[in-house]
Amino acid sequence: MHPAPSVIIFTTLSGLGFGLLAWLALGYPDVSGVVAFVFYAIAFALAVGGLLASTFHLGNRKNAIKAFSQWRTSWLSREGVGAVTSLIVMGVYAAGHIFLGEKWGALGVLGAVLSLGTVFTTSMIYAQLKTVPRWNTPWTSVLFMLHAIAGGALLAGQVTVAAILLAVLGLVQIVAWQQGDGAFAASGASLETATGLGRIGKVRQLEAPHSGENYLLKEMAFEVGRKHARKLRAIGFVLAIGLPVALLLLAPVNHFVALLAVVSHIAGVFATRWLFFAEAKHVVSLYYGR
Amino acid sequence: MTALPEKTEKKLGLVIDLDTCVGCHACVVNCKEWNTSNYGTPLSDMDAYGAAPEGTFLNRVHSYEVTPQSGCAQTVHFPKSCLHCDDAPCVTVCPTGASYKRSEDGIVLVNETDCMGCGLCAWACPYGARELDQLAGIMKKCTLCVDRIYNENIPEEDREPACVRTCPAGARHFGDFADPDSKVSRLVAERDGMDLMPEMGTAPVNKYLPPRKKDVLVGETKQLDAKSEEPKGFLAWLDKALEAI
Ligand code: SF4
Ligand code: SF4
Ligand code: SF4
């Protein structure tokens, strides 16, 4: 799949933002006043910034408002509804926390559930697609949720918990990669089933239907070199998991180290998220002999 | 509404005969012509006169080579447009309600005034039947020529999809699959019509007829006797003279 920058930025940043919101809603870190304000500002900036970035890949943005209507059937619509409700609930909670010094417990729990629920709906946009076997697994949701919870913990300054969660995230990431590498073959789709000609024999493309590019090829037949992917996996893993965990556990706890861990984590997640799209093969590429 | 209807009264769709299609692309051209000048946003072309032209099409013809275990390979031309699936994943993923399947005849359509151009429906379709128009930013797909098949302003013989009407080989057939006696239902029964990528669970309405079995030579084959003879007289002289030049 085409790794569109808008979608990579969106899933990465808003995931982190909603993760941080969830931690704040549950009272971590235990801050108040200006410091609390800064934490909320960061969380809202990430969540809202990510959502705004996602609108950049729309072909016809003026109809975006209609995306709230189909929550009964569409995960993308559910995500829109989820995002807006969590932002509203968390906005009220944050106002109470910052300005009144009140932590409305029940509202906080609701906000945390909604925030993480939103990340789940995002994950389901991808996990629901049978056409992209690498994504079509519960691991996609586990991965997205863990990214939000672990990244949120890191941003919330929960040193030990963040280290543990990041380590778990690392394990799940490895499992997801391994499982994903065999997913296309396991889906059973091939040029033989795509054309129905498998009953005669082995099929290969003789001639493409058009000499140039088209939307399908650009959007869904993106190919990344295996060697590159391997390298990028290693780099992404070290930056997103390895370095932050090492810093959290071994380095002295101060603002500079925390910032370094956060920056490294975000850079690493951008890399692995790029791969999440670039490595995912859509079954339509079969028709083009790819 | 992007919920799928429980059941559709009719199941309109196409039968595509892989045995007779000659790969002329006439259906591609006529589909584009009809659909760019009638219902909905036109199908745009980018860089039409430049080095890398591309555009939006609702029907495309691939060409494949199939090699059996033994015997000769064969060429199969493979037209592909929306299969108007019964369990259309492209419909249920749509967040705006733009994509829908009609309960009266099963045609899958996009309401262009609602589409926000997110492209998720194109991701959900296994067959590459949806293309986001690069100029309009709106999702385009085969409408089964809904503006022809019920159109009382055109002669009756034209009330079928443009691709069907134009196919010089008679490789495309239009009809109602819900009626077991319709031409399309009978073709599917007689010729063992098949689904594309059944493992995707889309329950396509359109069916494909596989290429017929090739004839196999049986027994001794003998060359025909030579029918032509060496020229004589004037012709023999002319032949020689010409060869000498
Ligand atoms: S062929 Fe694709 S676009 Fe057409 S109904 Fe089926 S899934 Fe939807
Ligand atoms: S591109 Fe349009 S029709 Fe397709 S899912 Fe998005 S809003 Fe619906
Ligand atoms: S017009 Fe008929 S013969 Fe020509 S490519 Fe289309 S289906 Fe095949």
Side-chain angles (χ1 to χ4, degrees), chain B residues 21 24 44 59 69 71 105 110 144 177 194 205 209 216 219 239 242:
Chain B
C21 173
C24 65
S44 72
N59 175 44
Q69 284 263 306
D105 52 16
V110 175
L144 209 62
F177 290 85
M194 57 189 183
V205 168
L209 306 181
V216 195
D239 200 31
L242 284 174

PDB file of all heavy atoms in Angstrom, chain B residues 21 24 44 59 69 71 105 110 144 177 194 205 209 216 219 239 242:
ATOM      1  N   CYS B  21     -13.922 -13.557 -25.613  1.00  0.00           N
ATOM      2  CA  CYS B  21     -13.324 -12.216 -25.617  1.00  0.00           C
ATOM      3  C   CYS B  21     -12.034 -12.224 -26.427  1.00  0.00           C
ATOM      4  O   CYS B  21     -11.169 -13.069 -26.221  1.00  0.00           O
ATOM      5  CB  CYS B  21     -13.033 -11.752 -24.192  1.00  0.00           C
ATOM      6  SG  CYS B  21     -12.114 -10.205 -24.143  1.00  0.00           S
ATOM      7  N   CYS B  24     -10.198  -6.794 -27.611  1.00  0.00           N
ATOM      8  CA  CYS B  24     -10.141  -5.631 -28.505  1.00  0.00           C
ATOM      9  C   CYS B  24     -10.243  -4.308 -27.758  1.00  0.00           C
ATOM     10  O   CYS B  24      -9.963  -3.264 -28.313  1.00  0.00           O
ATOM     11  CB  CYS B  24     -11.267  -5.719 -29.526  1.00  0.00           C
ATOM     12  SG  CYS B  24     -12.892  -5.593 -28.759  1.00  0.00           S
ATOM     13  N   SER B  44     -11.943  11.669 -15.778  1.00  0.00           N
ATOM     14  CA  SER B  44     -10.877  12.556 -16.252  1.00  0.00           C
ATOM     15  C   SER B  44      -9.657  11.796 -16.759  1.00  0.00           C
ATOM     16  O   SER B  44      -9.426  10.640 -16.408  1.00  0.00           O
ATOM     17  CB  SER B  44     -10.449  13.496 -15.132  1.00  0.00           C
ATOM     18  OG  SER B  44      -9.720  12.785 -14.163  1.00  0.00           O
ATOM     19  N   ASN B  59     -13.808   0.047 -16.554  1.00  0.00           N
ATOM     20  CA  ASN B  59     -13.716  -1.291 -17.119  1.00  0.00           C
ATOM     21  C   ASN B  59     -12.347  -1.375 -17.769  1.00  0.00           C
ATOM     22  O   ASN B  59     -11.946  -0.452 -18.468  1.00  0.00           O
ATOM     23  CB  ASN B  59     -14.828  -1.470 -18.167  1.00  0.00           C
ATOM     24  CG  ASN B  59     -14.747  -2.784 -18.911  1.00  0.00           C
ATOM     25  OD1 ASN B  59     -14.523  -3.828 -18.314  1.00  0.00           O
ATOM     26  ND2 ASN B  59     -14.920  -2.733 -20.231  1.00  0.00           N
ATOM     27  N   GLN B  69      -0.622 -28.173 -17.216  1.00  0.00           N
ATOM     28  CA  GLN B  69       0.413 -29.154 -16.863  1.00  0.00           C
ATOM     29  C   GLN B  69       1.094 -29.718 -18.100  1.00  0.00           C
ATOM     30  O   GLN B  69       2.304 -29.821 -18.171  1.00  0.00           O
ATOM     31  CB  GLN B  69      -0.232 -30.293 -16.076  1.00  0.00           C
ATOM     32  CG  GLN B  69      -0.540 -29.922 -14.643  1.00  0.00           C
ATOM     33  CD  GLN B  69       0.538 -30.385 -13.704  1.00  0.00           C
ATOM     34  OE1 GLN B  69       0.882 -31.557 -13.690  1.00  0.00           O
ATOM     35  NE2 GLN B  69       1.101 -29.475 -12.924  1.00  0.00           N
ATOM     36  N   GLY B  71       0.715 -29.701 -22.597  1.00  0.00           N
ATOM     37  CA  GLY B  71       0.046 -29.054 -23.730  1.00  0.00           C
ATOM     38  C   GLY B  71       0.456 -27.596 -23.846  1.00  0.00           C
ATOM     39  O   GLY B  71       1.304 -27.111 -23.099  1.00  0.00           O
ATOM     40  N   ASP B 105     -32.458  -3.832  -7.358  1.00  0.00           N
ATOM     41  CA  ASP B 105     -31.801  -4.595  -8.428  1.00  0.00           C
ATOM     42  C   ASP B 105     -30.354  -4.989  -8.114  1.00  0.00           C
ATOM     43  O   ASP B 105     -29.677  -5.586  -8.941  1.00  0.00           O
ATOM     44  CB  ASP B 105     -31.857  -3.812  -9.744  1.00  0.00           C
ATOM     45  CG  ASP B 105     -31.333  -2.398  -9.595  1.00  0.00           C
ATOM     46  OD1 ASP B 105     -30.655  -2.142  -8.578  1.00  0.00           O
ATOM     47  OD2 ASP B 105     -31.600  -1.557 -10.469  1.00  0.00           O
ATOM     48  N   VAL B 110     -22.257   4.802  -6.210  1.00  0.00           N
ATOM     49  CA  VAL B 110     -21.701   5.839  -5.348  1.00  0.00           C
ATOM     50  C   VAL B 110     -22.522   7.108  -5.563  1.00  0.00           C
ATOM     51  O   VAL B 110     -22.692   7.555  -6.695  1.00  0.00           O
ATOM     52  CB  VAL B 110     -20.221   6.131  -5.692  1.00  0.00           C
ATOM     53  CG1 VAL B 110     -19.702   7.308  -4.865  1.00  0.00           C
ATOM     54  CG2 VAL B 110     -19.361   4.908  -5.462  1.00  0.00           C
ATOM     55  N   LEU B 144     -23.229  -0.195 -13.917  1.00  0.00           N
ATOM     56  CA  LEU B 144     -23.997  -1.139 -14.726  1.00  0.00           C
ATOM     57  C   LEU B 144     -24.856  -0.362 -15.723  1.00  0.00           C
ATOM     58  O   LEU B 144     -25.925  -0.809 -16.129  1.00  0.00           O
ATOM     59  CB  LEU B 144     -24.849  -2.066 -13.840  1.00  0.00           C
ATOM     60  CG  LEU B 144     -25.138  -3.461 -14.433  1.00  0.00           C
ATOM     61  CD1 LEU B 144     -23.860  -4.236 -14.654  1.00  0.00           C
ATOM     62  CD2 LEU B 144     -26.075  -4.258 -13.554  1.00  0.00           C
ATOM     63  N   PHE B 177     -29.684 -12.347 -12.470  1.00  0.00           N
ATOM     64  CA  PHE B 177     -29.251 -13.635 -11.943  1.00  0.00           C
ATOM     65  C   PHE B 177     -30.250 -14.216 -10.938  1.00  0.00           C
ATOM     66  O   PHE B 177     -30.149 -15.377 -10.564  1.00  0.00           O
ATOM     67  CB  PHE B 177     -27.875 -13.513 -11.290  1.00  0.00           C
ATOM     68  CG  PHE B 177     -26.759 -13.276 -12.270  1.00  0.00           C
ATOM     69  CD1 PHE B 177     -26.462 -11.990 -12.700  1.00  0.00           C
ATOM     70  CD2 PHE B 177     -26.003 -14.322 -12.760  1.00  0.00           C
ATOM     71  CE1 PHE B 177     -25.435 -11.761 -13.607  1.00  0.00           C
ATOM     72  CE2 PHE B 177     -24.977 -14.103 -13.662  1.00  0.00           C
ATOM     73  CZ  PHE B 177     -24.695 -12.824 -14.095  1.00  0.00           C
ATOM     74  N   MET B 194     -18.053 -18.980 -13.040  1.00  0.00           N
ATOM     75  CA  MET B 194     -17.301 -18.987 -11.782  1.00  0.00           C
ATOM     76  C   MET B 194     -17.179 -17.597 -11.159  1.00  0.00           C
ATOM     77  O   MET B 194     -17.384 -16.576 -11.812  1.00  0.00           O
ATOM     78  CB  MET B 194     -15.911 -19.563 -12.033  1.00  0.00           C
ATOM     79  CG  MET B 194     -15.154 -18.782 -13.101  1.00  0.00           C
ATOM     80  SD  MET B 194     -13.633 -19.617 -13.575  1.00  0.00           S
ATOM     81  CE  MET B 194     -12.959 -18.426 -14.731  1.00  0.00           C
ATOM     82  N   VAL B 205     -21.820 -10.924  -7.977  1.00  0.00           N
ATOM     83  CA  VAL B 205     -22.968 -11.244  -8.823  1.00  0.00           C
ATOM     84  C   VAL B 205     -22.473 -11.591 -10.235  1.00  0.00           C
ATOM     85  O   VAL B 205     -22.876 -12.585 -10.824  1.00  0.00           O
ATOM     86  CB  VAL B 205     -23.970 -10.075  -8.854  1.00  0.00           C
ATOM     87  CG1 VAL B 205     -25.006 -10.279  -9.953  1.00  0.00           C
ATOM     88  CG2 VAL B 205     -24.663  -9.952  -7.502  1.00  0.00           C
ATOM     89  N   LEU B 209     -17.237 -16.969 -17.488  1.00  0.00           N
ATOM     90  CA  LEU B 209     -17.275 -18.286 -18.116  1.00  0.00           C
ATOM     91  C   LEU B 209     -15.851 -18.667 -18.499  1.00  0.00           C
ATOM     92  O   LEU B 209     -15.182 -17.931 -19.225  1.00  0.00           O
ATOM     93  CB  LEU B 209     -18.161 -18.260 -19.364  1.00  0.00           C
ATOM     94  CG  LEU B 209     -19.580 -17.734 -19.145  1.00  0.00           C
ATOM     95  CD1 LEU B 209     -20.362 -17.787 -20.463  1.00  0.00           C
ATOM     96  CD2 LEU B 209     -20.311 -18.526 -18.065  1.00  0.00           C
ATOM     97  N   VAL B 216      -8.426 -31.817 -28.686  1.00  0.00           N
ATOM     98  CA  VAL B 216      -7.184 -32.589 -28.678  1.00  0.00           C
ATOM     99  C   VAL B 216      -7.187 -33.473 -29.922  1.00  0.00           C
ATOM    100  O   VAL B 216      -8.203 -34.074 -30.271  1.00  0.00           O
ATOM    101  CB  VAL B 216      -7.097 -33.490 -27.422  1.00  0.00           C
ATOM    102  CG1 VAL B 216      -5.679 -33.995 -27.228  1.00  0.00           C
ATOM    103  CG2 VAL B 216      -7.580 -32.754 -26.198  1.00  0.00           C
ATOM    104  N   GLY B 219      -5.725 -39.942 -32.780  1.00  0.00           N
ATOM    105  CA  GLY B 219      -5.341 -40.824 -33.885  1.00  0.00           C
ATOM    106  C   GLY B 219      -4.232 -40.229 -34.744  1.00  0.00           C
ATOM    107  O   GLY B 219      -3.640 -39.213 -34.415  1.00  0.00           O
ATOM    108  N   ASP B 239       8.265 -17.220 -64.853  1.00  0.00           N
ATOM    109  CA  ASP B 239       8.770 -17.517 -63.518  1.00  0.00           C
ATOM    110  C   ASP B 239      10.294 -17.476 -63.504  1.00  0.00           C
ATOM    111  O   ASP B 239      10.928 -16.835 -62.657  1.00  0.00           O
ATOM    112  CB  ASP B 239       8.266 -18.905 -63.114  1.00  0.00           C
ATOM    113  CG  ASP B 239       8.314 -19.093 -61.610  1.00  0.00           C
ATOM    114  OD1 ASP B 239       8.151 -18.069 -60.895  1.00  0.00           O
ATOM    115  OD2 ASP B 239       8.518 -20.230 -61.153  1.00  0.00           O
ATOM    116  N   LEU B 242      11.705 -13.944 -64.281  1.00  0.00           N
ATOM    117  CA  LEU B 242      11.609 -13.041 -63.136  1.00  0.00           C
ATOM    118  C   LEU B 242      12.646 -13.373 -62.071  1.00  0.00           C
ATOM    119  O   LEU B 242      13.234 -12.491 -61.437  1.00  0.00           O
ATOM    120  CB  LEU B 242      10.211 -13.107 -62.524  1.00  0.00           C
ATOM    121  CG  LEU B 242       9.126 -12.354 -63.315  1.00  0.00           C
ATOM    122  CD1 LEU B 242       7.766 -12.608 -62.708  1.00  0.00           C
ATOM    123  CD2 LEU B 242       9.419 -10.860 -63.361  1.00  0.00           C
TER     124      LEU B 242
END
